[in-house]
Amino acid sequence: IVLGAGMLVYSLMTDYELGLFPTISMGTHLALDAMSGVVLAVSPWVFQFDDVVWAPHLIVGLLEIAAAATTERIPRHARIGRRRHA
C-alpha cells in the first residue's frame, strides 16, 4: 500500500504527459520505479510473510524492474519538440 501510494505521488510529480506538477525527471521516476520493484520483490522474505504468499510480490516486483529498464527516458512531448527544432 505504501509503495502504491508513493508511486501515485511521484507519478503526479513527473515531467511527462500525465504529470500534474512536473518537478521530477523521467529518469528519477524510473529509478524510483526500479527501487520500488526491488523492495516489492524481496518484501515477503524481508518482512517474513513468505510462508503465506510470495509469488505475486516477486513477479510484480520483477515486472516493475523490467518496465523501468525498458521505458524511454525522454517524454514524448520533448521528443516532438526536439524534432521540430532540428
Side-chain angles (χ1 to χ4, degrees):
I1 293 173
V2 172
L3 290 175
M7 185 180 290
L8 287 173
V9 170
Y10 70 77
S11 292
L12 291 173
M13 296 175 63
T14 300
D15 182 19
Y16 73 142
E17 293 88 357
L18 302 176
L20 294 178
F21 311 103
T23 55
I24 65 171
S25 70
M26 192 63 176
T28 301
H29 176 106
L30 294 173
L32 291 169
D33 278 349
M35 289 187 288
S36 174
V38 169
V39 171
L40 187 60
V42 302
S43 65
W45 296 276
V46 170
F47 300 114
Q48 300 178 344
F49 61 88
D50 58 299
D51 56 334
V52 178
V53 63
W54 59 269
H57 295 80
L58 178 62
I59 293 167
V60 173
L62 293 174
L63 288 172
E64 188 172 1
I65 294 166
T70 59
T71 299
E72 292 185 27
R73 296 182 186 278
I74 300 171
R76 182 176 304 160
H77 68 276
R79 280 196 319 260
I80 293 170
R82 285 184 184 174
R83 277 189 240 145
R84 288 183 186 156
H85 296 295

